[in-house]
């Protein structure tokens, strides 16, 4: 799902995860300097649009690399300064960034703990839970949304494995507690619980494998997926 596909109507405060939403993940590593930071496609367009829609746009991010000693607070501050500068240059904005360097979830500030959200409510007393939306790319982000009592949207991703086959990862929408009877009708739901080993994805891989190659875009694969799903 492209960030612009997410229906954000009815909210005035947007909480964003950073890694995997704003910038590309570095599997097995951390973004330790600006040279390792890479914006994800579509981020600028989304932030420009959201700039006009939201009163507040806030990033909440776990940054365990500092706790592990592989980077410093100064390194992170430099990355965030450059990131915000580039976002503003493109016409978007980020009002504030909250981060936690703790190594374990025993620290309430580390997502899915609610410490960062409590600090947001303290810093911005006019923010109401019912007007908040969290967008993230992980189960931790959705647990954070649930623990805070706010709505959360998890981006689905079409992933290509090392053979060029694709599969859909995870669930899209989550409100307070997971309610399977509620999910199918929500405006942000596209596909429910389709995993790498599902019959549907196996069918797609058999049917489309000769035509799927990493050179094709994710959007192209997602369009194929939606077209096939409507017909089976």
């Amino acid at each position: 799902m492209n960030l612009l596909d997410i229906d954000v109507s009815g909210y005035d405060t947007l909480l964003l995860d950073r890694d995997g939403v704003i910038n590309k993940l570095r599997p097995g590593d951390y973004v330790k300097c600006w040279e390792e930071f890479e914006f994800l496609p579509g981020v600028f367009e989304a932030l420009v649009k959201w700039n006009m829609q939201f009163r507040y746009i806030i990033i909440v991010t776990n940054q365990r690399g500092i706790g592990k000693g592989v980077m410093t607070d100064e390194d992170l501050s430099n990355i965030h300064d450059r990131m915000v500068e580039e976002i503003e240059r493109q016409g978007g904005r980020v009002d504030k960034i909250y981060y936690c360097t703790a190594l374990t979830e025993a620290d309430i500030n580390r997502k899915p703990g609610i410490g960062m959200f409590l600090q947001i409510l303290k810093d911005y007393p006019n923010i109401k839970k019912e007007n908040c939306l969290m967008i993230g790319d992980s189960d931790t982000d959705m647990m954070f949304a649930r623990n805070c009592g706010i709505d959360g949207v998890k981006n689905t991703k079409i992933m290509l494995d090392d053979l060029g086959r694709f599969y859909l990862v995870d669930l899209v929408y989550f409100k307070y507690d997971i309610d399977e009877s509620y999910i199918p009708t929500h405006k942000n739901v596209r596909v429910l619980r389709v995993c790498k080993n599902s019959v549907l994805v196996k069918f797609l891989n058999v049917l489309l494998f000769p035509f799927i190659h990493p050179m094709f875009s994710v959007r192209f694969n997602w369009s194929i997926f939606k077209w096939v799903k409507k017909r089976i």
Side-chain angles (χ1 to χ4, degrees):
M1 179 189 293
N2 189 291
L3 289 175
L4 288 173
D5 293 332
I6 298 173
D7 189 337
V8 299
S9 58
Y11 303 99
D12 68 11
T13 300
L14 179 63
L15 307 184
L16 295 171
D17 180 38
R18 197 198 77 178
D19 302 308
V21 175
I22 301 295
N23 60 278
K24 288 186 178 181
L25 292 167
R26 304 189 79 236
D29 198 359
Y30 303 93
V31 178
K32 305 180 293 299
C33 60
W34 179 245
E35 290 70 26
E36 295 177 347
F37 188 97
E38 185 176 357
F39 284 102
L40 283 167
V43 166
F44 292 134
E45 292 84 350
L47 286 170
V48 169
K49 180 180 178 181
W50 293 338
N51 184 25
M52 306 299 294
Q53 294 179 285
F54 287 98
R55 178 183 297 179
Y56 300 113
I57 298 175
I58 298 170
I59 291 177
V60 285
T61 176
N62 290 338
Q63 293 295 325
R64 189 161 50 184
I66 295 176
K68 288 185 174 181
V70 300
M71 59 188 296
T72 66
D73 286 279
E74 184 178 355
D75 293 330
L76 185 64
S77 178
N78 179 60
I79 291 168
H80 285 166
D81 287 346
R82 297 283 295 273
M83 177 188 74
V84 171
E85 179 182 339
E86 185 61 26
I87 288 171
E88 291 178 347
R89 192 176 72 83
Q90 297 290 333
R93 66 179 163 88
V94 172
D95 295 299
K96 196 160 184 178
I97 301 172
Y98 294 81
Y99 67 92
C100 177
T101 65
L103 296 176
T104 72
E105 294 177 4
D107 190 317
I108 192 174
N109 292 307
R110 179 175 172 79
K111 293 183 295 183
I114 64 173
M116 287 190 282
F117 187 64
L118 293 178
Q119 188 61 49
I120 290 171
L121 296 180
K122 180 179 178 180
D123 294 341
Y124 299 90
N126 58 334
I127 289 180
K128 306 298 181 185
K129 287 185 178 183
E130 59 269 24
N131 296 329
C132 293
L133 176 67
M134 173 71 194
I135 297 178
D137 71 319
S138 70
D139 292 336
T140 297
D141 293 319
M142 296 303 97
M143 290 174 64
F144 171 74
R146 179 181 63 185
N147 292 340
C148 294
I150 65 176
D151 290 357
V153 174
K154 180 178 178 182
N155 257 355
T156 50
K157 296 178 177 65
I158 296 294
M159 303 293 290
L160 291 170
D161 64 16
D162 55 1
L163 295 178
R165 296 171 300 189
F166 72 100
Y167 56 93
L168 188 70
V169 180
D170 271 314
L171 184 66
V172 184
Y173 185 76
F174 178 127
K175 182 181 175 90
Y176 298 102
D177 291 302
I178 293 177
D179 180 352
E180 298 292 348
S181 65
Y182 175 84
I183 291 171
T185 61
H186 191 271
K187 58 194 176 185
N188 279 321
V189 171
R190 297 295 180 268
V191 180
L192 296 178
R193 297 194 182 285
V194 180
C195 66
K196 185 175 181 179
N197 295 319
S198 72
V199 173
L200 176 58
V201 170
K202 288 180 179 178
F203 169 78
L204 289 174
N205 278 327
V206 170
L207 177 67
L208 300 174
F209 179 74
F211 308 101
I212 300 300
H213 186 276
M215 67 181 289
F216 286 91
S217 70
V218 168
R219 179 179 290 275
F220 177 77
N221 289 337
W222 175 238
S223 299
I224 293 175
F225 187 92
K226 289 193 294 185
W227 185 88
V228 174
K229 187 176 184 297
K230 288 179 181 179
R231 289 158 175 79
I232 61 175

